[in-house]
């Protein structure tokens, strides 16, 4: 039986809060289309990078002769992972 994939989604309020926190001026607004676009980009980012991050973190742990992946392994692979995206 095939595993059912859960739909990844982000609430519009979450996107608005996240993006608005970087605005330098209070009068700067975020359009609904911009929020939807950012939500879609985050969705793709999570779908593509989550499995890749897991694999790279595992390889980093193996290269350090560790039996378990720790947050430090993820932190080491994160810069290159983001550059590859």
């Amino acid at each position: 039986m095939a595993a059912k994939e859960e739909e990844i989604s982000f609430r519009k309020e979450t996107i608005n809060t996240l993006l608005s926190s970087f605005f330098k001026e209070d009068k700067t607004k975020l359009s609904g289309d911009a929020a939807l676009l950012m939500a879609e980009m985050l969705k793709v980012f999570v779908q593509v990078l989550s499995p890749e991050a897991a694999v790279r973190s595992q390889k980093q742990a193996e290269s350090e002769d560790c039996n378990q992946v720790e947050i430090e392994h993820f932190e080491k692979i994160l810069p290159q992972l983001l550059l590859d995206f």
Side-chain angles (χ1 to χ4, degrees):
M1 179 179 247
K4 182 180 177 184
E5 291 187 30
E6 289 187 34
E7 179 69 23
I8 297 170
S9 63
F10 295 92
R11 293 185 325 175
K12 187 176 178 181
E13 297 82 23
T14 304
I15 301 297
N16 286 335
T17 303
L18 177 67
L19 294 178
S20 296
S21 69
F22 292 98
F23 294 163
K24 295 183 185 199
E25 296 182 23
D26 291 336
K27 61 183 176 180
T28 304
K29 303 268 188 229
L30 181 66
S31 74
D33 287 344
L36 289 173
L37 176 62
M38 187 55 153
E40 189 62 29
M41 289 178 64
L42 284 171
K43 180 180 172 181
V44 170
F45 185 80
V46 168
Q47 286 175 330
V48 171
L49 290 186
S50 292
E52 183 65 20
V55 169
R56 290 187 189 194
S57 296
Q58 179 184 8
K59 288 180 181 179
Q60 181 66 35
E62 288 174 353
S63 73
E64 297 177 12
D65 294 326
C66 295
N67 295 328
Q68 185 173 352
V69 176
E70 302 288 340
I71 190 68
E72 292 81 17
H73 300 118
F74 175 72
E75 290 171 346
K76 288 178 181 177
I77 62 99
L78 186 57
Q80 187 61 49
L81 182 70
L82 293 174
L83 287 173
D84 291 347
F85 181 69

